[in-house]
Amino acid sequence: MIDVKHLSKSFKTESGSVEILHDISTEIKDGEKIAIIGPSGSGKSTFLRCLNLLERPTKGEIWFGGLNITGEGVNIDWVRSQMGMVFQHFNLFPHLSIMENITLAPIMIRGLSREEAEDKALHLLKRVGLYDKAGAYPAQLSGGQQQRIAIVRALAMDPKMMLFDEPTSALDPEMVGEVLDVMREVAADGMTMAVVTHEMNFAKEVADRVFFIADGVIAESGTPEDIFYYPKNKRLQDFLSKVL
């Protein structure tokens, strides 16, 4: 599904250039669930945002479904339509109803009729327990409900892959479970997923592989058992001692 080759990403600052990611090469297979963990500021979110070109890599290539999406002339809108993304903050359009938030992109980008888009939206809303909120506006919903809507909005585009950037970090603790339950369902349906998360139990339960990113590199990767019970990297050992 994804083949990352020698990915680096730098940002310009007043004092020069700061490299956030350094020479990362890895693969994500079709249907695989990847949890991405690591300390704050290590480059986790930047790595995720590079995958759908919200951040353009400074060096390296990203291949998606056999296409070099970092090459010249690639339709970035098409790439992003194939990778649904859910952010820390819900990014719903406050002036649109929940139904309008969900159906806008399928109608404008996918070319679905309004009836088709609304049928799909209602099906997805029922699936996440928010069927009765179709006519509501984001401000009328709790944070957990808004994040479930954000997931539905991404799924309505029929993506080949879902990217989650710390989707529960902005939620009150009692709302985290309802969002993780929806993500578990998405994973169980076979969706390819990459999830930046601080929810270690979720990573243990759902992930096929875990990437530990520190200092701009994937310092260690492996199965949840390898990472959480038999960590080899000293930086990973220190990190786990603080979060588990």
Side-chain angles (χ1 to χ4, degrees), residues 149-238:
I149 296 299
I151 295 172
V152 165
R153 182 174 62 177
L155 291 174
M157 289 291 284
D158 290 325
K160 290 185 169 63
M161 182 176 187
M162 286 285 289
L163 309 175
F164 295 87
D165 187 7
E166 300 187 27
T168 60
S169 64
L171 299 177
D172 292 334
E174 66 268 22
M175 297 177 183
V176 169
E178 63 192 53
V179 173
L180 294 180
D181 285 345
V182 172
M183 293 171 63
R184 288 186 183 94
E185 283 191 28
V186 173
D189 283 347
M191 177 66 73
T192 308
M193 295 169 58
V195 185
V196 174
T197 184
H198 293 295
E199 301 292 337
M200 298 301 149
N201 287 332
F202 177 81
K204 289 180 187 178
E205 176 189 347
V206 174
D208 298 305
R209 280 191 297 152
V210 180
F211 293 170
F212 172 67
I213 293 183
D215 304 316
V217 300
I218 299 178
E220 190 167 337
S221 67
T223 66
E225 183 178 15
D226 291 336
I227 294 296
F228 290 108
Y229 298 106
Y230 306 103
K232 300 179 180 67
N233 182 278
K234 179 64 165 59
R235 187 80 172 82
L236 173 57
Q237 293 169 2
D238 291 343

Side-chain angles (χ1 to χ4, degrees), residues 96-99 122 125 130-137 140-141:
L96 299 181
S97 70
I98 298 308
M99 177 61 76
L122 289 172
L125 285 170
L130 294 173
Y131 183 83
D132 61 334
K133 302 298 184 182
Y137 285 80
Q140 298 172 293
L141 274 58

